[in-house]
Amino acid sequence: MRLQPFSLSIIGVLLLTVGACQHEPPQTETAAIAPADAEPTSCHSNMPQRFATATGAATTDSLAAPAKHASHQGMVWVEGSHFRMGATDNEGRPDEYPAHEVQLNGFWIDATEVTNAQFAAFVKATGYQTVAERKPDWEELKKQLPAGTPKPADELLVASSLTFSQPSQPVPLNDASQWWRWTPGASWRHPQGPQSNLEGRESYPATQVAWADAAAYARWAGKRLPSEAEWEYAARGGLSSKKYGWGDEDVEAGKPKANTWQGSFPNHDEQRDGFAGLAPVRSFQPNAYGLYDMAGNVWEWVEDWYAPDYYQTVAGRVSVNPHGPAQSHDPQEPTVPKKVTRGGSFMCNASYCKGYRVAARMKSSPDTGLENTGFRCVSSL
């Protein structure tokens, strides 16, 4: 049965803060629970926003002229070609169908996710302050809330970001508040909250970066964020109609292939891949194009706006260098624009999301930072 994932914004978080987040977790479950009629949700589907953006056309930094010419050091050249994009088996979600034809020009792509060391160089050079390091603007936030919604307590409107809080027992998989928390002081410098830091983690992916932050970095580096089509084509590594970038063998079969969640999500990770949480880049074998972590580790921002029916609008023809829909529309949160994220993360599990499938696509608001979300860049020059 193919079902639909859910999606939360800051609106949902505010409601959860005064409601679901205060509920006691179930005491009797022996395994993770999902409603019989609900999609096994994604570890990035339904991720809460930091604060809402009024329109789907507000953030276009990645399309602006780059600040300098890109260095291709640490990048891989991918020859342009024709490929079939989208799910071709019965494991996809509705927004992954139909598979459709795409023609791409060649492009350079980072071999790894942007690391903490690389992001730190950007911040040092520019003084940039990420979204998570800024105090939310209540005047902007309330535009997306029902009329008459009271202003949250001041302690909620502080610089913060979303961190993973592993429960000690199985919890319902349709309630992301059971394992995500708004954490004051969480940011790219402190990805798990103010008690954490980046010491010894220079080669780990930069996380807690919103789409706007990733786009700003890309422009500074003379690059841009990949289109969704470029990302999927690169992730496939030259393979056609395969579930994963390495073929059809399940991620947990044989030797570890990616940083994912083994065991019962979200309460027990067996760590058979050798990692609890993030892994340094290049910890697993690259795909045939020489690209690392195109599955697992962190979800990766791409350029495209999200619309659930976009693939239907381009079916039956060849899309040449597509960049997705002109604006975002998410029926589950129609006032909140979303950008696409790709690749899955260390939180993805076969019983929960399988976001490491090469066709899997998720969505998040451009101002949302997460402990399991990062990015890589591309260049056409």
Side-chain angles (χ1 to χ4, degrees):
M1 178 170 55
R2 191 185 308 124
L3 306 160
Q4 186 165 341
F6 61 93
S7 181
L8 292 175
S9 67
I10 183 63
I11 301 169
V13 172
L14 292 175
L15 297 175
L16 289 169
T17 301
V18 299
C21 282
Q22 298 175 352
H23 292 172
E24 289 297 320
Q27 301 296 315
T28 60
E29 285 88 340
T30 59
I33 303 167
D37 60 348
E39 171 82 4
T41 53
S42 163
C43 42
H44 198 189
S45 171
N46 217 353
M47 286 301 99
Q49 298 181 84
R50 176 175 160 79
F51 55 87
T53 305
T55 68
T59 51
T60 56
D61 288 354
S62 186
L63 295 176
K68 61 184 179 183
H69 186 74
S71 166
H72 295 150
Q73 183 177 358
M75 302 186 81
V76 172
W77 174 254
V78 176
E79 291 287 349
S81 188
H82 177 280
F83 83 109
R84 192 163 178 78
M85 181 176 180
T88 57
D89 57 23
N90 62 358
E91 290 195 24
R93 297 182 177 88
D95 62 1
E96 297 172 29
Y97 299 97
H100 53 285
E101 305 301 318
V102 172
Q103 177 70 45
L104 292 175
N105 294 340
F107 56 95
W108 293 92
I109 182 168
D110 289 342
T112 73
E113 297 135 341
V114 171
T115 65
N116 287 320
Q118 291 170 317
F119 199 80
F122 158 62
V123 171
K124 182 178 180 180
T126 64
Y128 182 84
Q129 185 179 52
T130 62
V131 173
E133 296 170 291
R134 309 170 202 166
K135 181 179 178 179
D137 184 342
W138 169 241
E139 294 303 314
E140 288 297 317
L141 174 60
K142 69 181 182 181
K143 294 176 184 178
Q144 302 297 323
L145 295 166
T149 299
K151 182 180 178 180
D154 287 343
E155 59 264 26
L156 296 179
L157 294 176
V158 297
S160 59
S161 199
L162 285 159
T163 61
F164 176 59
S165 178
Q166 185 171 335
S168 61
Q169 60 187 24
V171 296
L173 293 182
N174 62 347
D175 183 3
S177 71
Q178 297 285 341
W179 59 87
W180 284 109
R181 298 286 185 272
W182 281 106
T183 303
S187 70
W188 74 274
R189 301 177 191 272
H190 308 284
Q192 296 170 309
Q195 79 288 352
S196 64
N197 58 56
L198 302 181
E199 184 177 352
R201 299 176 68 88
E202 292 81 4
S203 63
Y204 283 66
T207 62
Q208 299 293 14
V209 287
W211 184 93
D213 305 326
Y217 172 95
R219 184 172 183 273
W220 170 80
K223 304 177 185 179
R224 58 182 173 82
L225 296 180
S227 69
E228 186 175 12
E230 288 172 330
W231 193 98
E232 182 171 323
Y233 178 60
R236 289 184 177 276
L239 299 180
S240 177
S241 301
K242 298 296 183 181
K243 291 181 184 179
Y244 314 110
W246 55 82
D248 287 326
E249 184 178 68
D250 286 343
V251 69
E252 294 188 23
K255 65 180 182 180
K257 303 173 184 64
N259 183 17
T260 60
W261 188 282
Q262 300 90 48
S264 174
F265 182 84
N267 61 296
H268 178 60
D269 182 7
E270 297 175 359
Q271 302 175 34
R272 294 194 302 272
D273 57 14
F275 297 96
L278 289 181
V281 300
R282 300 179 186 268
S283 293
F284 299 87
Q285 289 296 309
N287 71 8
Y289 287 163
L291 304 175
Y292 295 83
D293 295 319
M294 297 300 281
N297 217 19
V298 294
W299 286 95
E300 299 181 14
W301 291 110
V302 298
E303 179 63 49
D304 303 34
W305 290 112
Y306 174 81
D309 61 350
Y310 173 66
Y311 286 12
Q312 298 172 32
T313 68
V314 295
R317 60 183 174 87
V318 177
S319 294
V320 179
N321 298 317
H323 285 271
Q327 60 184 7
S328 172
H329 175 65
D330 180 2
Q332 294 169 334
E333 291 183 300
T335 63
V336 181
K338 305 284 177 64
K339 288 286 189 178
V340 176
T341 57
R342 285 300 208 115
S345 79
F346 69 88
M347 295 170 62
C348 283
N349 175 269
S351 66
Y352 178 51
C353 78
K354 269 197 164 182
Y356 43 78
R357 291 180 300 106
V358 74
R361 53 199 308 256
M362 288 299 151
K363 55 192 174 180
S364 191
S365 61
D367 46 26
T368 297
L370 291 154
E371 188 181 330
N372 70 343
T373 303
F375 68 103
R376 75 181 71 214
C377 302
V378 300
S379 173
S380 300
L381 303 175

